[in-house]
């Protein structure tokens, strides 16, 4: 899966496969979190928002 860099101090890059509905978030520390069954609209919302804030709120849900 290709990752694209993002403007964030908390997130290094984001990758998304619409066919597999898989979202990957890479962090500056080198860690990568993989999330399965992610709808395309959630990926779009992530890319349109401040990354750290979005991920923090998503983890509260």
């Amino acid at each position: 899966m290709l990752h694209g860099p993002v403007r964030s101090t908390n997130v290094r890059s984001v990758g998304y496969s619409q066919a597999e509905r898989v979202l990957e978030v890479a962090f500056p520390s080198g860690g990568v979190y993989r999330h399965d069954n992610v709808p395309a609209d959630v990926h779009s919302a992530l890319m349109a928002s401040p990354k750290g804030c979005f991920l923090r709120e998503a983890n509260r849900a």
Side-chain angles (χ1 to χ4, degrees), residues 5-55:
V6 295
R7 293 181 124 194
S8 173
T9 58
N10 299 319
V11 176
R12 185 181 66 209
S13 65
V14 173
Y16 183 69
S17 168
Q18 188 168 359
E20 297 176 15
R21 293 174 47 112
V22 172
L23 174 74
E24 291 182 347
V25 180
F27 296 90
S29 65
V32 177
Y33 286 11
R34 180 184 170 105
H35 304 273
D36 296 320
N37 297 315
V38 176
D41 62 325
V42 172
H43 171 251
S44 296
L46 169 63
M47 298 309 290
S49 71
K51 307 312 174 258
C53 294
F54 185 93
L55 295 172

